Amino acid sequence: MSDPKNPKKNAALQRENEDPDEGIRPLPWFLVMFLGAMAMWGGFYIYVTPSGGDSSYGDQRTVETLRPPVPVGGAGAVVKVDGKQIFGGKCASCHQATGLGVAGVFPPVAGSEWVMGDEKILTNILLHGIVGEIEVKGNKYKGVMPAWNALSDDELAGVMTYIRAEWDNKAAPVTAETVKAQRELTKGRTQPYNGGADIAAGT
Ligand code: HEC
């Protein structure tokens, strides 16, 4: 006997159950409520949390902090930055990679009494720069040495430690603490040193 509503459905088909089909099953109401509550709480939290806060609360580490220590100049001396790299990037354009400078224009740092002398004086030279006449290894120079106070304590300590141990130079490493102390001691200075005679350890 065939189904009058569906003549194609023959007797054999009628005996079978309908194929199951996938219905729509709504999310349970408590899950919907929960997700809604979470979304509202999230929005509220973002709304009430002050933005643009004090950035000093953030990650204070600098690139130097993250770099592994670099051994320099034997005797187990270690600095946090690669002074050679800083010298190559910032100083070698004038003082040359050989450290010999350019005769009559840029004084040598290799063999220089300023480089191997009092570390405080050397630090001050780098922090403030020099204009006017300075005598290096018996020759007089009258150029302009820029101030490098934009470099960090670690970077300055690193480059000084490097130039004090490279070539045939032999002088003790300079620590970031020394740079920090000299930076503080000379913070009143706004002008570069006016030649070699003006350079002192304190000011
Ligand atoms: C733009 C060129 C220039 C650059 C770059 C430069 N210097 Fe100098 N530097 C000079 C000049 C010029 C003098 C001599 C200043 C004078 O005649 O008054 C000098 C002097 C010095 C002196 C004292 C004299 C000596 O030769 O020992 C030191 C130390 C020194 N520089 C180290 C550095 C270091 C370290 C850097 C890199 C961080 C650097 N300089 C980058 C031009 C430069």
Side-chain angles (χ1 to χ4, degrees):
M1 199 179 84
S2 66
D3 186 341
K5 282 191 216 142
N6 187 355
K8 279 193 203 148
K9 217 171 176 188
N10 59 29
L13 274 176
Q14 283 183 48
R15 275 200 309 275
E16 302 285 328
N17 286 330
E18 294 276 349
D19 279 344
D21 66 347
E22 210 174 331
I24 300 167
R25 199 180 280 214
L27 287 174
W29 64 268
F30 55 87
L31 190 58
V32 174
M33 299 270 287
F34 176 70
L35 292 176
M38 291 294 279
M40 275 166 67
W41 179 76
F44 171 75
Y45 184 81
I46 292 171
Y47 181 72
V48 298
T49 306
S51 59
D54 188 348
S55 62
S56 70
Y57 291 140
D59 189 344
Q60 307 259 313
R61 292 172 304 174
T62 59
V63 179
E64 297 100 69
T65 325
L66 299 174
R67 271 197 204 119
V70 185
V72 277
V78 158
V79 288
K80 288 205 194 109
V81 297
D82 187 350
K84 181 175 188 168
Q85 200 186 10
I86 298 172
F87 186 83
K90 313 257 185 224
C91 322
S93 53
C94 295
H95 295 286
Q96 308 299 305
T98 56
L100 295 174
V102 175
V105 190
F106 301 122
V109 281
S112 158
E113 63 271 33
W114 298 98
V115 172
M116 287 184 279
D118 187 337
E119 59 177 18
K120 294 183 182 144
I121 288 183
L122 177 60
T123 307
N124 287 358
I125 290 178
L126 288 191
L127 284 173
H128 302 289
I130 325 166
V131 295
E133 195 175 82
I134 183 170
E135 191 174 320
V136 186
K137 285 173 89 181
N139 296 314
K140 289 195 167 63
Y141 297 85
K142 204 167 187 313
V144 175
M145 159 77 177
W148 297 100
N149 55 7
L151 295 185
S152 71
D153 295 348
D154 279 324
E155 286 171 323
L156 285 174
V159 73
M160 285 190 281
T161 300
Y162 170 75
I163 60 176
R164 279 159 75 91
E166 185 63 13
W167 313 295
D168 286 331
N169 288 1
K170 272 188 186 56
V174 181
T175 63
E177 285 69 45
T178 304
V179 180
K180 192 173 178 206
Q182 290 306 109
R183 210 190 274 275
E184 182 61 26
L185 206 61
T186 61
K187 66 171 185 242
R189 175 166 279 276
T190 54
Q191 298 296 316
Y193 290 101
N194 189 8
D198 191 26
I199 303 170
T203 55

